[in-house]
Structures are given as C-alpha cells and as structure tokens.
Amino acid sequence: MFDIKKYHGDEKFLKILDKNAIAIDIYTLKAAILGVQASGGDFSMKMLAKDFFSDEALDNKALADQLESLWFYLLRLQRFDDGELEQPCYEDKTREMYLSYVKASILRAETFLKYLAMGSIDEMRKNKKVDTIYSLFIGNVNLLKSLQTSMEEKWTDEDFTGDTTFLKKLTGFIRVMWDTQIALKEHAKIFKLQKMNNKNIIHVLEKQTGTQIGRNEPCPCGSGKKYKNCCGV
C-alpha cells in the first residue's frame, strides 16, 4: 500500500529547515512545486529537490519526508487557506515593507513560470480555459512589475503610510495569483490523465491491428504531432 505522509504545516517544516541551517523561502519552494505540477511534464519531485537542496540535506529523513508530503499536499490542494499565505504587516507600512512584499511576489511568480515552461504548457494552452488562466497569470505578473517600478520611481514616502486599503487590495491580488497557479495545476492533472487514456487506447488499437505505430507517424489522438512527440512520449 502506497503511504502518503501527512504535511504538518509550514511551521514544522520551517523548524526542520532552521535546525539544518537551510535558508529558503518556503513560498518560493511552493511556487516551484506548483509550477512543476502545472507543467503537465515529467519533471519529478526528486529533480526539483536538487534545485533547492544539497544531497546532504536530502539525506535528512525528516526534511525529505516533509518535502515529499508538501508535494502531495499541493497536488491535492484546491485553495490555500488565508493563514497559509504570507501576510505583510499592516501596522508597519513602510516603503521597504511594500517593496519587499511586491518583489518577493514577483520572484515567486517567475519561479512558477520557470518550472511551468519545462512541461507541456504550450500544448495545454490549446484548451481555451487553460489559455485564459495562463494569460491572466501573465497579465498579473506584468501588473506587479509595473507596480514595483511605479513604487520605486514615483511614490513618495507619504504614499506608504496611509490607511490599509491599498495593502488589503494588494494581498487580495496576490491571493488571485496563487489561485491561478492552483487552477493551472488542476488542469494539468486532467491533461495528464487524458494523455494516459490516449496511450491505453492506442495500445489496444495496436494489439487489435497487429501493427505498431511508428514514432515518426502522426499521433492517432489527432493532435497533428508525431507520435514520438505526443502520446508516444
């Protein structure tokens, strides 16, 4: 029986990281994992782990177990609870706090996109819903970058010390970006399941006809691609 370890929350994971003197932004790690899961590709958890941790760190069973459980937790996740997302300080509204929050959010978004690009996102975007969600995410990233530039070049110190209205809107906007990443991840699960079903159907056809589909022949699923670049992967 396959045993999926339970994720005990960010606080426990952060304690393990701190105990092993590993400085890592857990939100960036989450963005990377979601990017891999949303890519529709075959980039594995172990491959991703090597981008963030040394081999020595991964030999630590407590760390490896929590990383694995975080992977499956995010794979099943439908939406983050409010407490799971970074909450900026509503009292200490300074230029540095605002810029730090925006820059960190941009970094996490770009990390998501980096790993998303390693899979089949271009093929997945042939689905209108996926393309709409992807375009929304890209548009939001560009808005954040424009906001950062405006903050750095045009805003005065007084603009950062008013009420919490803007900050609440900003955290709501960041929430939408996380929701969008999860939506792409969910569509990737459907995409991969459909591809697996196509493979099974093709194997049945090969058995019935007694012939094997050539790797350079058009894929029977109708994608227009060569079999080796589609369901034959």
Side-chain angles (χ1 to χ4, degrees):
M1 183 176 178
F2 185 60
D3 178 33
I4 298 179
K5 300 174 182 65
K6 178 178 176 59
Y7 185 60
H8 295 289
D10 295 350
E11 186 175 351
K12 180 173 181 178
F13 194 18
L14 287 170
K15 285 181 179 178
I16 294 173
L17 295 174
D18 185 59
K19 183 177 180 180
N20 290 275
I22 299 172
I24 188 172
D25 174 34
I26 197 166
Y27 301 105
T28 300
L29 177 60
K30 288 180 179 180
I33 293 174
L34 286 172
V36 170
Q37 295 175 348
S39 73
D42 297 320
F43 197 78
S44 69
M45 179 188 68
K46 289 184 178 180
M47 295 165 67
L48 172 68
K50 289 183 179 295
D51 287 352
F52 284 84
F53 303 96
S54 67
D55 291 339
E56 181 182 0
L58 293 173
D59 285 338
N60 182 298
K61 188 176 186 305
L63 189 152
D65 284 351
Q66 280 302 289
L67 180 60
E68 179 182 330
S69 63
L70 176 59
W71 173 279
F72 286 108
Y73 172 74
L74 293 176
L75 188 63
R76 299 189 300 268
L77 187 67
Q78 298 296 312
R79 192 172 191 264
F80 282 112
D81 291 335
D82 288 339
E84 294 180 278
L85 297 177
E86 182 180 20
Q87 299 295 324
C89 178
Y90 285 90
E91 299 300 325
D92 185 22
K93 297 184 293 297
T94 64
R95 175 185 293 273
E96 291 72 23
M97 184 276 289
Y98 272 93
L99 283 174
S100 176
Y101 183 57
V102 171
K103 288 178 179 178
S105 298
I106 292 172
L107 173 62
R108 293 157 191 164
E110 290 179 335
T111 299
F112 174 81
L113 289 172
K114 170 188 171 182
Y115 288 97
L116 185 70
M118 293 181 178
S120 306
I121 185 60
D122 289 339
E123 185 178 352
M124 289 168 55
R125 286 181 63 193
K126 292 178 181 178
N127 178 298
K128 188 174 180 180
K129 285 186 178 179
V130 174
D131 186 59
T132 298
I133 297 169
Y134 176 84
S135 299
L136 174 63
F137 185 79
I138 294 296
N140 285 345
V141 175
N142 290 333
L143 282 173
L144 270 185
K145 291 180 178 179
S146 297
L147 177 62
Q148 178 188 338
T149 300
S150 180
M151 284 179 165
E152 292 174 332
E153 297 179 358
K154 300 178 181 178
W155 289 33
T156 66
D157 289 336
E158 287 72 23
D159 291 321
F160 294 91
T161 57
D163 62 30
T164 60
T165 301
F166 173 72
L167 188 53
K168 287 181 178 178
K169 288 181 179 179
L170 180 58
T171 53
F173 182 78
I174 300 302
R175 144 72 70 184
V176 170
M177 295 191 68
W178 283 108
D179 288 347
T180 307
Q181 292 176 67
I182 291 176
L184 287 172
K185 180 262 298 183
E186 288 298 295
H187 278 284
K189 287 162 64 175
I190 297 171
F191 171 81
K192 294 189 80 169
L193 181 61
Q194 181 61 56
K195 199 162 188 176
M196 288 172 62
N197 288 339
N198 287 345
K199 274 189 177 182
N200 292 334
I201 293 170
I202 290 167
H203 288 161
V204 170
L205 290 173
E206 288 179 328
K207 188 174 182 179
Q208 289 176 342
T209 60
T211 59
Q212 190 170 8
I213 298 168
R215 286 176 54 75
N216 290 310
E217 293 180 22
C219 186
C221 78
S223 66
K225 294 184 176 183
K226 291 183 179 180
Y227 180 58
K228 66 181 181 182
N229 296 323
C230 192
C231 295
V233 175

